[in-house]
Amino acid sequence: MAPSNGKLSERQNKMLEFISDFVKEHPYPPSVREIQVGCSISSTSVVDYNLHILRREGYIKRSPDISRGIQLLDKDTGRAMGHPNAVSVPVFGAIAAGEPLMAFPDASEAEETLELPSSMLPARTDGIYALRVKGQSMIEDLIDDGDVVLFQRRQTASPGEMVAAWLKERGEATLKRYYPEGARIRLQPANSAMSPIYEDADNVEVQGVVVGVIRMFR
Amino acid sequence: MAPSNGKLSERQNKMLEFISDFVKEHPYPPSVREIQVGCSISSTSVVDYNLHILRREGYIKRSPDISRGIQLLDKDTGRAMGHPNAVSVPVFGAIAAGEPLMAFPDASEAEETLELPSSMLPARTDGIYALRVKGQSMIEDLIDDGDVVLFQRRQTASPGEMVAAWLKERGEATLKRYYPEGARIRLQPANSAMSPIYEDADNVEVQGVVVGVIRMFR
DNA sequence: GATAGAAGCGAACATTCGTTTGTATACATA
DNA sequence: TATGTATACAAACGAATGTTCGCTTCTATC
């Protein structure tokens, strides 16, 4: 069996992540075969082999001969983990209205946090943050004043994606669609009453792409 | 099968209690046979029989053909139990596309549930449900095809509110703005390409008012 | 008494699922 | 080269588990 050096293989990490995701989305733990399929493993025996290692290393607990008898443990405390369903998303100030975004916004500086179910979010739930939209520059993309927009932190974007862009010279952030055009970048509002912004590529810093919109009335 | 009078037999109550105790002591739900032994029932078919009743009455949710696929629901709200701060919102079929809404939609019949933080929702978090929007009849109110719309269950609405309305004669539900005009009701789409619907007040049943919109890209 | 539905029963069936077995490959080491 | 170990693979085995079926018992109703 594997050496007891505490390091996990890539496959073992993937399995842990799969189990963690699975229990967030289901009221029961995964079976060996569900792990097999979810992690693209060719044989159930390989799953079992690595589950033994995860158990020995203290990452999980297994109930022998019981279907779905897998329990995630907190590696540090060795205690059972609950149902860590919620991802807390920091909500920063309004976009397009000042200086909302530092390079690495810290959750502690958020005005509030939003507890969102991880099932709602894309696979990578880290680097998710939210901004409250100010103004109607994206009204034709169905994003209204006051909406909360969820972003995935990224430094690059594909043409046409909605991004939070930091305009260095102006010292402000803005929500627009991203269109690189050679050395310059067109930031296109979704409001026919407004004109696109053209900026030198050096002056535009993508800080995240839109992954969702939440609007609550009242 | 049993009459749908909402009362549970002694045996069914015992089963519920057993399941509740079981999930507190184990990281996985009980199997049919474990319920059988724990409740001193002679046959697994009796367990299955009563589990069907519990499901129909909204006490549990079952995942067919999945071992230990039993989930306790909160009878009052029809929500999944076990997530302290989260409210699980049942998501039913698409609106404006057939017959999505029965009089009292049952959480156990939801195609999926959404775990939302109670902080996101209005004070009263019971009677919240969600529908996936089909079509673009509310596009000018910034609700797009595919969006998930959150409703608060209500039988009445104020003029101008967005409601899920059940048209008895047509046997269909629709998402529109609500304008009572004497004995008839105008159901106004937010799409200038579409005409309002006029219906006799007797033929319109408000089933809920819109309290939020969620749109996830991916 | 006849009938029908609710509830229970025992057994069998079919699938899911944990486990084992035999083998293969890569790599380190003696 | 030979040997042992870690990892992976495919297949099969057998236990666990969900489901179904035919029958019985009980009770309410006509």
Side-chain angles (χ1 to χ4, degrees):
Chain A
M1 193 177 285
S4 224
N5 58 7
K7 289 176 197 160
L8 295 186
S9 70
E10 188 176 342
R11 172 161 285 180
Q12 285 149 16
N13 276 313
K14 189 172 183 182
M15 284 171 58
L16 270 186
E17 190 176 355
F18 175 81
I19 296 170
S20 175
D21 288 345
F22 190 98
V23 297
K24 287 173 190 166
E25 294 173 22
H26 302 82
Y28 42 82
S31 69
V32 169
R33 280 170 183 78
E34 284 163 346
I35 298 173
Q36 180 197 355
V37 172
C39 298
S40 306
I41 297 173
S42 66
S43 171
T44 58
S45 65
V46 178
V47 177
D48 185 67
Y49 170 79
N50 287 286
L51 284 177
H52 268 93
I53 297 174
L54 289 175
R55 189 184 67 86
R56 194 194 59 206
E57 298 296 326
Y59 288 91
I60 63 170
K61 184 177 163 186
R62 292 187 78 182
S63 306
D65 294 322
I66 287 185
S67 65
R68 304 176 182 276
I70 296 176
Q71 181 179 16
L72 272 181
L73 299 178
D74 182 342
K75 173 62 174 165
D76 297 325
T77 65
R79 280 201 304 240
M81 303 214 342
H83 211 130
N85 203 348
V87 176
S88 75
V89 177
V91 182
F92 298 99
I95 192 168
E99 312 192 13
L101 276 176
M102 30 259 122
F104 293 98
D106 186 355
S108 63
E109 303 186 40
E111 35 179 72
E112 57 176 322
T113 63
L114 208 49
E115 303 288 318
L116 291 182
S118 51
S119 59
M120 258 182 60
L121 300 171
R124 288 194 63 80
T125 57
D126 58 315
I128 300 272
Y129 62 97
L131 296 172
R132 198 170 295 277
V133 171
K134 184 94 176 179
Q136 300 200 316
S137 69
M138 297 302 277
I139 191 75
E140 286 156 21
D141 279 332
L142 309 184
I143 298 177
D144 200 3
D145 184 275
D147 287 3
V148 172
V149 175
L150 300 175
F151 294 86
Q152 168 73 250
R153 182 178 313 293
R154 266 173 38 197
Q155 277 74 50
T156 58
S158 305
E161 278 190 311
M162 280 189 278
V163 302
W166 176 253
L167 307 180
K168 297 179 189 173
E169 282 176 11
R170 308 190 192 195
E172 69 177 40
T174 183
L175 172 63
K176 296 283 185 299
R177 284 195 180 269
Y178 177 86
Y179 292 98
E181 298 180 344
R184 71 177 190 179
I185 288 171
R186 172 162 57 96
L187 295 173
Q188 181 72 48
N191 185 333
S192 42
M194 298 174 65
S195 302
I197 298 175
Y198 294 95
E199 286 284 351
D200 196 281
D202 293 337
N203 189 35
V204 176
E205 193 174 273
V206 172
Q207 304 215 300
V209 301
V210 174
V211 296
V213 182
I214 296 175
R215 171 161 62 246
M216 295 305 292
F217 301 105
R218 209 168 328 181
Chain B
M1 195 178 286
S4 223
N5 58 7
K7 290 174 196 161
L8 294 187
S9 70
E10 189 175 341
R11 172 161 284 179
Q12 284 150 17
N13 277 312
K14 189 171 182 182
M15 285 172 57
L16 270 187
E17 189 176 355
F18 175 81
I19 296 171
S20 175
D21 289 345
F22 191 98
V23 296
K24 285 174 190 162
E25 294 173 23
H26 303 81
Y28 42 83
S31 69
V32 168
R33 278 168 184 79
E34 281 162 348
I35 297 174
Q36 181 196 358
V37 172
C39 298
S40 307
I41 297 174
S42 65
S43 170
T44 57
S45 63
V46 178
V47 177
D48 186 66
Y49 171 79
N50 286 287
L51 283 177
H52 268 92
I53 297 174
L54 289 176
R55 190 188 71 87
R56 193 194 56 205
E57 298 296 326
Y59 289 90
I60 63 169
K61 184 176 165 186
R62 293 187 79 183
S63 306
D65 293 322
I66 287 186
S67 65
R68 303 175 183 276
I70 297 175
Q71 181 180 17
L72 271 182
L73 300 177
D74 182 339
K75 171 58 177 168
D76 296 326
T77 63
R79 292 178 186 129
M81 292 180 52
H83 306 303
N85 241 332
V87 179
S88 84
V89 177
V91 181
F92 298 99
I95 194 168
E99 312 192 14
L101 275 177
M102 28 263 124
F104 294 97
D106 187 355
S108 62
E109 304 186 39
E111 40 181 62
E112 56 176 321
T113 63
L114 209 50
E115 305 287 320
L116 293 180
S118 51
S119 60
M120 258 182 62
L121 300 171
R124 287 193 63 78
T125 59
D126 59 315
I128 300 273
Y129 60 97
L131 295 172
R132 199 170 293 276
V133 170
K134 184 94 176 178
Q136 300 201 315
S137 69
M138 297 303 277
I139 192 75
E140 287 156 21
D141 279 333
L142 309 185
I143 297 177
D144 199 2
D145 183 274
D147 288 3
V148 173
V149 174
L150 300 175
F151 294 87
Q152 167 75 247
R153 184 179 314 292
R154 265 171 41 194
Q155 278 73 51
T156 59
S158 304
E161 278 189 313
M162 279 189 278
V163 301
W166 176 254
L167 306 180
K168 296 179 190 173
E169 282 175 10
R170 307 193 192 194
E172 67 176 41
T174 184
L175 172 62
K176 297 283 186 301
R177 283 195 180 271
Y178 176 86
Y179 292 99
E181 298 180 345
R184 70 175 191 180
I185 289 171
R186 172 162 57 96
L187 296 173
Q188 181 72 46
N191 184 333
S192 42
M194 298 173 68
S195 304
I197 297 176
Y198 295 95
E199 286 284 351
D200 195 280
D202 292 338
N203 190 34
V204 176
E205 193 174 272
V206 172
Q207 303 214 303
V209 301
V210 174
V211 296
V213 181
I214 296 176
R215 173 164 57 246
M216 297 304 292
F217 303 103
R218 206 165 307 187

